[in-house]
Every structure is written in C-alpha cells, then in structure tokens.
Amino acid sequence: MPELVPLLNKETIEKKVAAAADRISSDYNGREVIMIGVLKGSVIFISDLIRHLTIPVKIDFIGVSSYGSDDSPSEKIRLTKEVQIDIENKDVIIVEDIVDTGLTLSWLIDRLSSLGLRSLKVCTFLDKRERRKADVMIDYSCHVVDKGFIVGYGLDYAENYRNLPDVYCMKF
Ligand code: IMP
Ligand code: MG
C-alpha cells in the first residue's frame, strides 16, 4: 500500500479556495462568469469555489481523457463530454484540479478559444510545476507544488481517494 503524506488539511484548503474566489469576484466586478469544470478531478473544488463567489455564476463541465496510465498522463487527449450551455460571448473560466504538464489545459484552451468567447481564464486548485511542457497561463491557483503525485479533494490515483477532505502526496 502506498503511504499518504499529508500536504494540506481541510481548514487550509478552505482558506485558499475562499481567497481564490475573492480574487475572481473582485476581478469580474459584478459580471457573470461561466465556470467550466474539467471532469472528474475538479468536481469538489468547483463546488466549494462557486459557493464563495459574490458574482453571478453558471457552471458546466467538460470531459477529457488522456491515454496512458493515471500517474503519467500521455499527450493524446480526447473529448469525452462537450460543454452544453451557451458560452458564446461569455466570460469563461476553466476550472482544473491540477495543472501538471499543462498539455490538457493547452488543448482545452485551443478548443474553447475557437468558440467566440468574450474572455477565457484558468483557475486551478494546484499548480504543479516540475513537469510543465506547455507554456500555459494560469490566472488563479490556490496552491503551488513542485512535484509529487497528489491525491484527495477530488484528485485520484486510479479513481481512488477523490473523497478525502484533505490533500496528500503519495509515497510509492
Ligand atoms: P496535465 O499533465 O497538465 O495535462 O494533467 C492532466 C491531468 O492529469 C490533470 O487534470 C489530473 O487529472 C491528472 N494529474 C496530473 N498530476 C496529478 C497528480 O499529482 N494527482 C492526480 N492527478 C494528476
Ligand atoms: Mg483533471
């Protein structure tokens, strides 16, 4: 069994998520925002994030899957669920659980940018920098980690641990 080393407890997570929501509410200054959560990892984060916003918000989800094993997402990305609400001319924020290589995000940005949005920004719970390959701009992040495989608060290892309220680094 891999060991789970505590990284962020739920009180810390709550503060960091609230702080990101405050920055977003202040930047959008009363304007409506459409948040698009990337399935499935962002589900817990987006649920908490939107409850701290003080601006109007609509949410939807987009599904992507990358071929390869769970701890080493490969570079081939495929859409598994389309956005359903109308996002043309809207201020859109992509909500991610973690940006690692940045390849998923860069693929999503390319795809969504072609849909005639008013603006597009990115909000991620974790910004993991060591393996970054794509030069992606992250507008809002709750916490930066250098490396490691992180689980809990929506993040999984082979679909396990998404339900943990705290965040851990896995020691294999
Ligand atoms: P990318 O390498 O930036 O394209 O990351 C794609 C996806 O891989 C993320 O959205 C996560 O779902 C998953 N991922 C990357 N690093 C981790 C991790 O440390 N823990 C759990 N999932 C991860
Ligand atoms: Mg993800």
Side-chain angles (χ1 to χ4, degrees):
M1 278 289 279
E3 190 191 338
L4 300 185
V5 182
L7 183 66
L8 301 169
N9 63 32
K10 60 178 191 290
E11 290 76 23
T12 307
I13 294 169
E14 153 109 45
K15 279 190 203 125
K16 286 174 179 269
V17 172
D22 286 350
R23 292 200 296 278
I24 294 171
S25 296
S26 137
D27 288 355
Y28 286 79
N29 194 23
R31 286 197 331 262
E32 180 189 74
V33 73
I34 313 284
M35 293 201 152
I36 300 185
V38 184
L39 293 172
K40 295 179 260 185
S42 71
V43 165
I44 313 260
F45 174 46
I46 196 171
S47 318
D48 285 344
L49 186 67
I50 59 175
R51 282 179 286 178
H52 285 287
L53 291 176
T54 56
I55 52 172
V57 60
K58 290 182 179 147
I59 64 165
D60 201 350
F61 293 93
I62 194 165
V64 287
S65 80
S66 44
Y67 307 109
S69 63
D70 279 354
D71 57 344
S72 155
S74 90
E75 296 163 30
K76 294 215 170 128
I77 295 156
R78 186 169 58 90
L79 198 73
T80 57
K81 191 210 161 286
E82 277 280 11
V83 171
Q84 255 120 18
I85 59 177
D86 184 15
I87 56 174
E88 202 183 322
N89 268 311
K90 306 284 189 190
D91 292 304
V92 174
I93 302 182
I94 300 173
V95 179
E96 261 286 22
D97 53 353
I98 183 165
V99 180
D100 181 15
T101 63
L103 293 169
T104 308
L105 188 56
S106 126
W107 188 90
L108 281 170
I109 290 170
D110 282 353
R111 200 185 156 88
L112 293 177
S113 318
S114 67
L115 300 177
L117 311 182
R118 180 162 185 238
S119 68
L120 181 61
K121 286 193 183 184
V122 172
C123 175
T124 186
F125 176 56
L126 295 175
D127 176 2
K128 186 167 81 176
R129 299 199 167 154
E130 193 196 30
R131 306 198 309 154
R132 192 65 44 84
K133 286 186 193 159
D135 183 22
V136 284
M137 160 92 165
I138 296 173
D139 300 280
Y140 307 98
S141 94
C142 295
H143 188 75
V144 176
V145 289
D146 183 32
K147 56 185 170 190
F149 198 84
I150 317 295
V151 295
Y153 198 67
L155 291 108
D156 74 304
Y157 174 67
E159 298 299 331
N160 295 305
Y161 310 122
R162 293 196 198 274
N163 61 314
L164 300 179
D166 296 349
V167 165
Y168 302 83
C169 185
M170 286 186 72
K171 230 167 139 185
F172 292 94

